[in-house]
Amino acid sequence: MSDTTGTLARPAEAAAAPGRSVLGALNPAPGRAARGPAAAAQRLGAVLAALGLGPAETQTLERLARTRIVPAGQCVFRRDDAAHALVLLLQGDVALGVGAAETDFRPERLLHAPAWLDLSSAWLDHGTHALDGRALTEVLVAELPREAVQPALDERPGLARHVITGLAREVRALTLNTHDLMHKDAPARLAAWLHERLGPEPAAAGGAGAPSVVQLTERKRDIASQLGITPETLSRLMRSFMRRGVIDVAGYTVRVLDPGALAGIARGDEPQVEPAA
Amino acid sequence: MSDTTGTLARPAEAAAAPGRSVLGALNPAPGRAARGPAAAAQRLGAVLAALGLGPAETQTLERLARTRIVPAGQCVFRRDDAAHALVLLLQGDVALGVGAAETDFRPERLLHAPAWLDLSSAWLDHGTHALDGRALTEVLVAELPREAVQPALDERPGLARHVITGLAREVRALTLNTHDLMHKDAPARLAAWLHERLGPEPAAAGGAGAPSVVQLTERKRDIASQLGITPETLSRLMRSFMRRGVIDVAGYTVRVLDPGALAGIARGDEPQVEPAA
DNA sequence: CGCGCTCTTGAATTCGATCAACTATGGTGG
DNA sequence: CCACCATAGTTGATCGAATTCAAGAGCGCG
């Protein structure tokens, strides 16, 4: 098949996207969590700051947090576990989804540090985590017990504000996702997913000067799982887009040739015509 | 078809479920919103109290709120409208969904007063409402401008706590909904929906003494839309469940004959066998 | 009564899943 | 070094669930 070859066995960890903005400096040892209490504490402070918290709030939370290392493949938390703490992902990648064993686990969302793993469950009485959290790499997490955060919240308005904003963002993302699942078909969802990871490409004036590239950092089966489709369907869709000249796929590298067409497919208004040739 | 008849044209508004618990007294004039500033203010206070806010928080919010009446069929807010305020539903029913005109509007969630209509969007910078909100009946809403709520939040910890809890509940509901959409088929989703509206029926010892009844208060097409299926499929599923002896449908009244079987279908572990006869 | 609305039922169709090879890659151990 | 195996992805054939299209039935209302 011509030159569609690329590394197949795994998405190259070394090929991770170059760190961007403030968070760039936050990935010192990719794939390996910071070892030792001192390193963990330092990392916690950096992550809290990166999430937009002020120095005072950061210090308050640092005192409450308990950090924990979870080896790759293990569960960070299980759904139906009582959620007594907010969970923050300091380092590594975690999949939120369902499934008993490491096999047959179906990820619904993938998170990369730094990010909140579960900012909501602990606030609900008798709340449990809604999903399993499974470490994809070795992972460093911080847990903030609700009982301890509660009073801190009352004293530090900035903290409450941060929690509210984080939750609001999550509500928005979930609402949009739900909408897509209900009303968009598989091609539209994939196109939207790809288009979203393009970032704001400011209208390259030149022709084929700098085609936008999306590097897939996760296995295709996990991407498919997030989109609510099977790996087979994902593969067929990729090929279909390729035949239409919208993208060019080589292994885990996707070059987007026609962002406009991609957006059209994502909106669902594209008539799905495919050249017979 | 024997006695499956029932009122067809509309779900009888008068047949609304009997008011339950604290909220029973909150529906004085069903179908018609409280008229006049005084009535609106009183209703606002009652709703805030019913939502679990203390007297101090209630008074604070009462001062900030602006109430508004929206006639049936009109939009309470449009998606892509800038969201500058939290929106609270004081009276009436609203559908959250998408669709330009009153026809071809696809509801994704239905809300009955008292409830938060949009507790999240206003917290996001440049935030817009994620969905259209369309009044199904004449509706009374209260809007709490974010700029005004913000400082109140810093002074009254109970307020922040309430917002956080509300958002956390929403995150949980959306997460579970997303999960169902991705992994459950149509019969399972419908069964789960029905089972949820059964309420905690405490194991009726008697035989066919008091079969649990679910009164549908909305059009079946709207129920289907919420479940992400077509009205035709909903109709077929209802009939299928009926043939299996799980439920009995008469117009907008659904009698659940076998809650256990319903739960089984909802879990998806039921082998979908249907008696040939 | 006829019109408009909602729901129902049937037939045809289509999208995506499932099942089953087969290819490509990387790691392991002889 | 190479045979061997495990894993990831691709491709094709087939199946089935749910939508679409089309027609009909029940009910309320002017």
Side-chain angles (χ1 to χ4, degrees):
Chain A
M1 309 283 176
S2 70
D3 62 325
T4 64
T5 50
T7 66
L8 200 55
R10 305 212 121 260
E13 304 191 32
R20 50 190 178 285
S21 76
V22 203
L23 310 179
L26 285 172
N27 285 311
R32 188 156 40 243
R35 290 269 175 206
Q42 187 195 349
R43 173 114 194 125
L44 172 60
V47 165
L48 288 172
L51 288 175
L53 287 160
E57 286 85 7
T58 297
Q59 280 181 18
T60 305
L61 289 186
E62 273 176 328
R63 267 191 293 275
L64 310 176
R66 292 289 168 269
T67 61
R68 191 156 61 93
I69 289 184
V70 180
Q74 295 293 310
C75 271
V76 179
F77 49 73
R78 247 177 282 272
R79 94 175 167 287
D80 303 333
D81 274 359
H84 62 282
L86 311 182
V87 186
L88 182 60
L89 179 59
L90 299 180
Q91 202 163 72
D93 302 327
V94 170
L96 258 33
V98 284
E102 191 171 349
T103 57
D104 97 295
F105 179 77
R106 305 203 170 264
E108 295 179 8
R109 247 184 303 168
L110 300 184
L111 294 174
H112 312 280
W116 285 105
L117 265 190
D118 189 341
L119 185 56
S120 60
S121 301
W123 301 110
L124 305 170
D125 293 330
H126 316 294
T128 61
H129 298 286
L131 296 172
D132 293 328
R134 192 169 286 271
L136 297 177
T137 64
E138 189 178 71
V139 145
L140 178 66
V141 297
E143 296 182 323
L144 300 152
R146 182 188 106 167
E147 290 92 18
V149 174
Q150 186 82 49
L153 219 60
D154 298 347
E155 289 160 20
R156 302 225 166 274
L159 222 54
R161 180 63 209 284
H162 180 264
V163 171
I164 288 172
T165 307
L167 286 170
R169 251 194 285 272
E170 209 170 335
V171 167
R172 159 156 301 250
L174 285 167
T175 299
L176 263 36
N177 199 1
T178 300
H179 176 73
D180 285 2
L181 280 172
M182 292 210 305
H183 297 308
K184 285 182 174 174
D185 60 5
R189 292 209 299 277
L190 173 57
W193 189 89
L194 283 171
H195 195 261
E196 187 183 304
R197 329 222 131 189
L198 254 154
E201 199 70 19
S212 312
V213 167
V214 176
Q215 270 292 341
L216 308 185
T217 58
E218 50 236 335
R219 295 181 306 176
K220 286 180 181 172
R221 61 172 43 181
D222 290 333
I223 296 171
S225 185
Q226 280 185 88
L227 294 168
I229 61 181
T230 59
E232 293 97 322
T233 300
L234 177 64
S235 178
R236 280 184 255 269
L237 287 175
M238 289 283 208
R239 186 120 341 245
S240 163
F241 289 179
M242 222 165 130
R243 270 197 297 269
R244 291 197 248 171
V246 178
I247 62 175
D248 188 70
V249 184
Y252 287 99
T253 304
V254 178
R255 286 177 47 223
V256 176
L257 306 175
D258 189 344
L262 205 59
I265 298 172
R267 271 193 311 272
D269 52 25
E270 212 73 353
Q272 308 287 14
V273 286
E274 196 166 325
Chain B
M1 311 284 178
S2 66
D3 61 325
T4 65
T5 50
T7 65
L8 200 58
R10 304 210 120 261
E13 302 191 32
R20 51 187 179 285
S21 76
V22 202
L23 309 179
L26 284 172
N27 285 309
R32 187 155 41 241
R35 291 269 177 206
Q42 186 196 348
R43 173 115 194 126
L44 173 59
V47 165
L48 288 172
L51 287 175
L53 288 160
E57 287 84 6
T58 297
Q59 281 181 17
T60 304
L61 289 185
E62 273 177 326
R63 268 192 292 275
L64 309 176
R66 292 288 167 271
T67 61
R68 193 155 60 93
I69 289 183
V70 180
Q74 295 291 310
C75 272
V76 178
F77 48 73
R78 248 176 282 269
R79 93 174 167 286
D80 303 332
D81 275 359
H84 62 281
L86 311 182
V87 186
L88 181 60
L89 179 58
L90 299 180
Q91 201 163 74
D93 302 328
V94 169
L96 258 32
V98 284
E102 192 172 348
T103 58
D104 97 295
F105 178 78
R106 302 204 173 265
E108 295 180 10
R109 247 186 303 167
L110 299 183
L111 295 173
H112 311 280
W116 284 105
L117 265 190
D118 190 341
L119 184 57
S120 61
S121 301
W123 301 109
L124 305 171
D125 293 333
H126 315 294
T128 61
H129 298 286
L131 297 171
D132 294 327
R134 193 168 285 272
L136 296 176
T137 63
E138 188 178 70
V139 146
L140 179 66
V141 298
E143 296 182 324
L144 300 153
R146 182 189 106 168
E147 291 92 17
V149 174
Q150 186 83 49
L153 220 59
D154 298 348
E155 290 160 20
R156 301 222 166 275
L159 222 53
R161 179 66 210 282
H162 181 263
V163 170
I164 288 173
T165 306
L167 286 169
R169 250 194 285 271
E170 208 168 336
V171 167
R172 161 155 298 250
L174 285 166
T175 299
L176 294 173
N177 199 1
T178 299
H179 177 73
D180 285 2
L181 280 171
M182 292 210 305
H183 298 307
K184 285 183 174 173
D185 60 3
R189 293 209 298 279
L190 173 57
W193 188 89
L194 282 171
H195 195 260
E196 189 182 302
R197 332 221 128 190
L198 243 119
E201 199 71 18
S212 311
V213 167
V214 175
Q215 270 293 340
L216 308 183
T217 58
E218 50 238 332
R219 295 182 304 174
K220 286 180 180 172
R221 62 168 41 177
D222 291 332
I223 296 171
S225 184
Q226 281 184 86
L227 294 169
I229 62 181
T230 59
E232 292 95 325
T233 300
L234 177 65
S235 179
R236 279 184 256 267
L237 287 175
M238 289 283 208
R239 187 123 335 250
S240 163
F241 288 0
M242 219 163 131
R243 271 196 297 268
R244 290 199 249 169
V246 177
I247 61 174
D248 187 72
V249 184
Y252 286 101
T253 304
V254 179
R255 284 176 50 222
V256 178
L257 306 175
D258 190 345
L262 206 58
I265 299 171
R267 270 192 313 270
D269 52 24
E270 211 73 354
Q272 308 286 10
V273 286
E274 196 166 325

